[in-house]
Amino acid sequence: MRFVTGQLPVRLRASIAAATAYRQGRRPPAGGFKLSSNENPYSPLPGVVEAIREAAAYNRYPDATAAALRGPLAARFGVEADGVQVGAGSVAVLAQLIQAASGAGDEVVYPWRSFEAYPGLVTVSGARGVAVPLDSDGRHDLSAMAKAVTGRTRVVIVCSPNNPTGPAVRRAEFDRFLAAIPQDLLVVLDEAYHEFVTDPDAVDGRHLVAGHPNLVIARTFSKAYGLAALRIGYAIGHPAIIRAAQAAAIPLSVTAQAQAGALASLDREDELMERVARIVGRRDRMWHDLVDQGWQLPEAQGNFVWFPTGSSTEAAADVFFDAGLAVRPFSGDGIRVSVGEAESVDVVLRAAKRVLGAQDHGRLADPATQA
């Protein structure tokens, strides 16, 4: 049977039918480096792998409450267990929070450009997204975000460090932001890359959530802990908000293997953070060397670097690909390059130098811009 492309056989929500599905990062060429998805280049520690294997009772459902994991997380953040929600990645928790707070006729404010999934999550909820542009340094314009809040706003998302541009929101500016918005407005602080932050003035949701009942922080085991394939993240917040998020969750979506891997990773955190320190060292070296080449880059506080390549983004991404690097282009804006294996750093630097030289001599342009 052949279906007619583009023809809907049933009645669907027009906004969903017209939406674009989330797009994963590009695969690398043979023998190259995949730097398109902000993945941790290190495999899980042997003890973590063993814990995952021991949880492999495939014929049994996982604990839907993730109680064994929520307890240690609650202790870490100084909250009760009912202030912790565990989901299939932090993006799942974000979806639950948005759906719990907003629907048709409501608004969700978020920075842009930021995490690519935000607009889609808002569309699925039925709400309208209000995208507030970043400033010229790739940072949140929190003053503009506060001004974008209306009587219809139900959620505001703040991403620190911001994916894909890199800067972290600073504590002082975040305090001013929280004071400027209604206290019954849900604020979600997306801290998926928190463990890579070295800026001493950066916001840390752990120190704020107890004093702000409208604040929920979201974190993940995908990045620093290297469990991206297991899909596990969590949120910390007021128990009433967490209960609403749980009501919006798909039941039994966090596997027993993911829970076991997360628990084992917490037990081995010191060793894992040594790996994070190595990644941060590569990031900082790469960032400084790129600045020395002549690039004007925003501050990098995640496990990635942002190239503001503008209209030449797609052509620049092809230069990286030809060098053996899969990177993440955002058409018309720039390119995000993850910090990967140690051997990839010099390859990135050489490719970036070629891109910069081609830009300086007017030899780099997207085909769509050429007459």
Side-chain angles (χ1 to χ4, degrees), residues 104-122:
D106 297 329
E107 295 176 347
V108 177
V109 174
Y110 53 83
W112 197 253
R113 178 171 289 276
S114 194
F115 182 31
E116 193 175 7
Y118 293 158
L121 297 179
V122 175

Side-chain angles (χ1 to χ4, degrees), residues 152-230:
R152 294 181 179 272
T153 308
R154 294 294 177 268
V155 184
V156 178
I157 303 172
V158 174
C159 185
S160 180
N162 187 56
N163 171 26
T165 59
V169 172
R170 297 199 168 99
R171 167 69 185 266
E173 62 181 338
F174 192 68
D175 286 343
R176 291 192 296 270
F177 172 74
L178 289 177
I181 62 171
Q183 299 305 294
D184 62 351
L185 175 61
L186 175 59
V187 177
V188 180
L189 179 59
D190 184 353
E191 294 186 306
Y193 300 91
H194 172 77
E195 292 83 1
F196 301 99
V197 174
T198 55
D199 181 355
D201 296 323
V203 67
D204 183 344
R206 183 193 307 208
H207 305 309
L208 294 176
V209 69
H212 296 276
N214 63 322
L215 175 65
V216 174
I217 61 175
R219 295 190 181 181
T220 184
F221 287 94
S222 294
K223 309 301 181 184
Y225 296 88
L227 300 182
L230 291 182

